[in-house]
Amino acid sequence: MTKPSVTDRGFGPARHAELALLLEVAGTPKPGNVDRRRDLSDLHFEHFLTGAVGSASGLRLAEDGASVGEAFETAVAGMSKQGGGNTQFGCVLLLVPLVRAAAAGDLSPAGVTDVVEQTTVDDAVAFYRAFEHVDVAVGDPPEDASDLDVRRGSEAESALREQGLTFLDVMELSAEGDANAREWTGGFARTFRAAESILADEGPVTDRVARAFLDLLAEEPDTLVVTNHGDAVARDVMDRAAAVSNLDEAEELAESFVAEGINPGTTADIVCAATFVALERGVPL
Amino acid sequence: MTKPSVTDRGFGPARHAELALLLEVAGTPKPGNVDRRRDLSDLHFEHFLTGAVGSASGLRLAEDGASVGEAFETAVAGMSKQGGGNTQFGCVLLLVPLVRAAAAGDLSPAGVTDVVEQTTVDDAVAFYRAFEHVDVAVGDPPEDASDLDVRRGSEAESALREQGLTFLDVMELSAEGDANAREWTGGFARTFRAAESILADEGPVTDRVARAFLDLLAEEPDTLVVTNHGDAVARDVMDRAAAVSNLDEAEELAESFVAEGINPGTTADIVCAATFVALERGVPL
């Protein structure tokens, strides 16, 4: 598989992943999210810049072949060294296996599926530990799985080990209610599809990112909106995104979502992952 | 010397330098420069994001103790892997010795002066080679020094070696007409002063960066404005910056400077360097 942009730009996968974190937050308008033009009340643009730079060590570990769990926990720990709290937990969850796949020379649905299928129980334990570095908005676990609530952090270790659950197993348990987990279990289907739309689009990459965000938002309920506001609001958000036909119209939606406290953060995670794939495949900058 | 933010944030000097590149371009308004709210016609925000990530390898070399010339050339080569051209050449010129000084545990006028005084002829040759990676707007050299015109790139090597000129010697030859070179030869006086004003200021760091930019712009003619428009315009720019008393008033100046093609880029370089020092000294994020 050829990777022209890596060669041309001289950036390895870890640098492209860091750049994807920056381009994602720069893309505007991304209704309801922090972007180049908008901050949220306690979550500012500069927190995302700092989070991206802080993630870089963990992303580098992934490029260098460290385990997915170690790379992820390191990236999250680094990301959290700023006052905004959780800026890019979900982005990093998607980027780490993608960086591993790219470094192994097969950035494809099959390649990244290989990576996640090789995760271990130790990786799952590291994933749980990552929740101790930062507050992440999550839904309740299934009733029969309260010992696996991610909010238990490293206290869930014994349950993970007793049940022999890998990082991928944990994602499978969450897949029904979490669009990021579904990327893990489904060959990163939306990520790769959005990457192709970014590549086929025209104009500045940050505009392409914003359009890809709107398309994804119109396509499925955003997990973070479901967690914070319930299914009905998440369906309404989809409909309102679908009604927008260009970035100018999206400006108004962006103002509305910020005013209503609607933050479709999971959709932003997938756009970030797609931006990484587009960078690896040579989107011009 | 204690360095609380390095310890607290877990960022080494190279990461803080990369973050300074990002915070500098995010600071708004910075009249006449690309910032979070404004692009120039061929130079966009995303080029600066890419330039910052691309510089990181060179900045890391500086942290790890590589020669100033090698670290600088590597950073410039990496910075140039985007379509905007010269985004952060001047910033990197200031950051590399500052990163070296910070890594050596003495980020002070004396510490960075030690670093630049230890530069060699090989470092000077690397500095000239860096001009081959990117077009940099520079003034003409003195009449008796045309063999040292930086636009000659590596062709100036023999002249540098014959005359035994170090990187610092080259900066001394340019100091009269280049505010960045004067930082090198004068213990980074404006950098450290602006860093203290950023630390003493209040509010988001990007607002502090913008206010420090206005103060510096009102204080001395901007070298890049002199190069592109002459002394009279550069003096006028100073006066107009001095007449602005807050960031709201600076918005109007930003619109005017962009419309007039006035780009005070050297002042932005010094603000970037000051932001690095402020990060090392614990400015909150």
Side-chain angles (χ1 to χ4, degrees):
Chain A
M1 155 167 258
T2 59
K3 294 185 293 177
S5 75
V6 177
T7 310
D8 295 354
R9 200 172 292 134
F11 281 27
R15 295 253 185 257
H16 271 158
E18 186 185 357
L19 184 54
L21 290 164
L22 295 168
L23 293 172
E24 185 281 315
V25 75
T28 183
K30 292 200 320 302
N33 284 276
V34 172
D35 67 24
R36 184 172 172 186
R37 294 212 191 98
R38 284 167 201 83
D39 290 333
L40 300 179
S41 58
D42 295 322
L43 197 55
H44 303 163
F45 194 68
E46 63 266 27
H47 297 140
F48 284 78
L49 301 180
T50 310
V53 174
S55 303
S57 297
L59 296 168
R60 168 59 50 139
L61 283 177
E63 178 177 320
D64 291 346
S67 73
V68 170
E70 182 191 357
F72 176 72
E73 189 192 354
T74 304
V76 168
M79 175 206 80
S80 311
K81 307 288 186 190
Q82 35 75 30
N86 178 19
T87 47
Q88 293 130 324
F89 187 97
C91 295
V92 168
L93 179 63
L94 300 179
L95 287 171
V96 164
L98 290 166
V99 166
R100 274 289 300 265
D106 187 8
L107 182 59
S108 69
V112 71
T113 297
D114 277 352
V115 169
V116 298
E117 285 181 347
Q118 287 166 27
T119 60
T120 65
V121 176
D122 284 341
D123 291 324
V125 171
F127 170 67
Y128 274 71
R129 268 200 311 266
F131 285 86
E132 299 186 352
H133 297 290
V134 63
D135 278 329
V136 181
V138 291
D140 290 323
E143 277 184 27
D144 57 351
S146 62
D147 54 345
L148 293 172
D149 188 336
V150 288
R151 291 166 291 198
R152 296 187 67 212
S154 57
E155 288 178 20
E157 177 168 355
S158 57
L160 290 165
R161 295 205 184 279
E162 277 162 27
Q163 300 176 50
L165 297 173
T166 68
F167 200 159
L168 177 57
D169 292 334
V170 172
M171 291 293 110
E172 279 168 350
L173 289 171
S174 314
E176 192 181 329
D178 179 358
N180 283 338
R182 282 197 297 279
E183 289 300 286
W184 269 60
T185 60
F188 289 65
R190 298 178 80 201
T191 295
F192 283 103
R193 194 150 29 78
E196 288 309 311
S197 85
I198 289 170
L199 284 162
D201 199 353
E202 293 181 348
V205 67
T206 45
D207 288 352
R208 302 181 193 209
V209 164
R211 282 188 286 264
F213 175 85
L214 287 167
D215 289 346
L216 287 165
L217 191 59
E219 178 185 274
E220 277 191 26
D222 183 272
T223 301
L224 187 59
V225 176
V226 172
T227 301
N228 290 334
H229 303 277
D231 284 321
V233 172
R235 290 269 160 200
D236 181 58
V237 163
M238 279 177 64
D239 293 343
R240 290 161 78 185
V244 163
S245 55
N246 59 51
L247 294 185
D248 286 340
E249 289 179 26
E251 292 288 346
E252 202 177 325
L253 194 61
E255 299 304 325
S256 302
F257 280 178
V258 171
E260 296 167 40
I262 290 170
N263 173 214
T266 308
T267 305
D269 298 337
I270 295 173
V271 169
C272 179
T275 303
F276 166 75
V277 174
L279 287 168
E280 286 282 313
R281 294 184 174 175
V283 70
L285 259 174
Chain B
M1 155 169 257
T2 59
K3 295 185 293 178
S5 76
V6 177
T7 310
D8 294 354
R9 200 171 294 134
F11 282 28
R15 294 253 185 258
H16 271 160
E18 186 185 357
L19 183 55
L21 289 165
L22 295 168
L23 293 172
E24 185 280 317
V25 75
T28 185
K30 290 199 321 301
N33 284 276
V34 172
D35 67 22
R36 183 172 172 186
R37 295 213 190 96
R38 284 167 200 84
D39 290 333
L40 301 179
S41 57
D42 295 321
L43 197 56
H44 302 163
F45 194 70
E46 62 266 26
H47 297 139
F48 284 79
L49 302 181
T50 310
V53 174
S55 304
S57 296
L59 296 168
R60 168 59 51 139
L61 283 177
E63 179 177 319
D64 291 346
S67 73
V68 170
E70 181 191 358
F72 177 71
E73 189 192 354
T74 303
V76 168
M79 174 207 79
S80 310
K81 309 287 186 190
Q82 35 76 29
N86 178 17
T87 47
Q88 292 130 325
F89 188 97
C91 295
V92 168
L93 180 62
L94 301 179
L95 287 172
V96 165
L98 290 167
V99 167
R100 274 288 300 266
D106 187 8
L107 182 60
S108 68
V112 71
T113 297
D114 277 353
V115 169
V116 298
E117 285 181 346
Q118 287 166 27
T119 60
T120 64
V121 176
D122 284 341
D123 291 325
V125 171
F127 170 67
Y128 273 72
R129 267 200 311 267
F131 284 87
E132 300 186 351
H133 297 290
V134 63
D135 278 329
V136 181
V138 291
D140 291 324
E143 276 183 26
D144 56 351
S146 63
D147 55 344
L148 293 173
D149 189 336
V150 287
R151 290 167 292 199
R152 298 187 67 212
S154 58
E155 289 177 19
E157 177 168 356
S158 58
L160 290 166
R161 295 206 184 278
E162 277 162 25
Q163 299 176 52
L165 297 174
T166 69
F167 200 158
L168 177 58
D169 292 334
V170 171
M171 291 293 110
E172 279 168 351
L173 289 171
S174 315
E176 192 182 328
D178 179 358
N180 283 338
R182 281 197 296 278
E183 290 300 286
W184 269 59
T185 61
F188 288 66
R190 297 178 81 201
T191 295
F192 282 103
R193 196 151 27 80
E196 288 309 310
S197 85
I198 290 170
L199 284 161
D201 199 353
E202 292 181 349
V205 67
T206 45
D207 288 352
R208 302 181 193 209
V209 164
R211 282 188 286 265
F213 175 85
L214 287 168
D215 289 345
L216 287 165
L217 191 59
E219 176 186 274
E220 278 190 26
D222 183 89
T223 301
L224 186 60
V225 176
V226 172
T227 301
N228 291 333
H229 303 276
D231 284 321
V233 172
R235 289 269 161 200
D236 181 57
V237 164
M238 279 177 64
D239 293 343
R240 290 161 77 185
V244 163
S245 55
N246 59 52
L247 294 185
D248 286 339
E249 289 179 27
E251 292 289 346
E252 202 177 325
L253 194 62
E255 298 303 325
S256 302
F257 281 178
V258 170
E260 296 167 39
I262 290 171
N263 173 214
T266 308
T267 305
D269 298 337
I270 295 172
V271 169
C272 178
T275 303
F276 167 74
V277 174
L279 287 169
E280 285 281 312
R281 293 184 176 175
V283 70
L285 260 173

